[in-house]
Amino acid sequence: MNRRPVAAGAQPFMEEMIACATAADPVPRFLARACGIVLAFTASDAIEVRILRRGRTSRWEMTRRPERLVRLGDVPEGTDAQAPADPPPPGIDGSSVQPLAVGEERIGLAIFRRKRPYDAVRIEAVRVAAGALATAILLHRQRSAEKEREKELEC
């Protein structure tokens, strides 16, 4: 089991997340890369991400084995998008629900799952990863909007 302090691995993790967020990837490719990085850093087996944008909440799930990103669709209107997810699937003993927020801006929710319960070190890694993922999502949105403005100016 990896018991190194989270801070020891945080710098390379953050650099990888920033590189991922600033790449010109479409949203599904960006989310697949970002969630893959997060899963490795947190030693999680799956992550469900609920992302709020323009009044709608989309749900995505990334798993490690098999490695795949699936769009689960939108959270139905009138449903609490921030409520915890469905019960974990069989074989999953650990889960952690974390807000996706940068400062006071909440942009969603991340639900981390693994086969074994989370210990204190992994919980701290999950908290760090949720903050980094929220930052990466906002940075990717900003870069995408800038590229759209550049295209509009070229026309």
Side-chain angles (χ1 to χ4, degrees):
M1 178 183 251
N2 184 0
R3 293 208 176 263
R4 69 184 176 159
V6 173
Q11 183 67 32
F13 165 71
M14 296 300 280
E15 290 171 0
E16 199 172 359
M17 289 297 287
I18 290 169
C20 175
T22 57
D25 290 335
V27 171
R29 188 174 304 145
F30 155 70
L31 279 176
R33 284 185 60 208
C35 288
I37 296 164
V38 165
L39 287 175
F41 180 71
T42 62
S44 296
D45 295 306
I47 182 173
E48 179 184 333
V49 180
R50 298 179 184 189
I51 303 171
L52 177 62
R53 180 151 193 189
R54 297 184 190 122
R56 295 178 57 188
T57 302
S58 60
R59 292 176 60 204
W60 300 79
E61 182 178 61
M62 178 78 180
T63 57
R64 285 179 79 167
R65 292 181 191 95
E67 186 173 304
R68 67 187 170 117
L69 176 73
V70 176
R71 183 158 195 259
L72 301 174
D74 292 338
V75 174
E77 207 167 308
T79 303
D80 182 3
Q82 302 300 313
D86 306 322
I92 300 293
D93 288 335
S95 64
S96 178
V97 179
Q98 298 292 324
L100 293 176
V102 176
E104 295 297 314
E105 185 175 0
R106 283 188 71 144
I107 62 165
L109 181 75
I111 303 152
F112 296 82
R113 294 192 171 111
R114 68 189 307 235
K115 292 177 182 166
R116 295 184 313 271
Y118 286 96
D119 61 17
V121 171
R122 291 294 107 209
I123 289 291
E124 183 60 26
V126 163
R127 287 187 185 122
V128 168
L133 182 57
T135 301
I137 290 168
L138 289 178
L139 183 55
H140 187 264
R141 284 181 184 173
Q142 180 184 18
R143 297 288 179 154
S144 296
E146 288 171 3
K147 294 222 182 274
E148 285 298 315
R149 281 192 292 274
E150 288 173 8
K151 284 181 186 177
E152 289 173 2
L153 292 174
E154 289 175 1
C155 292

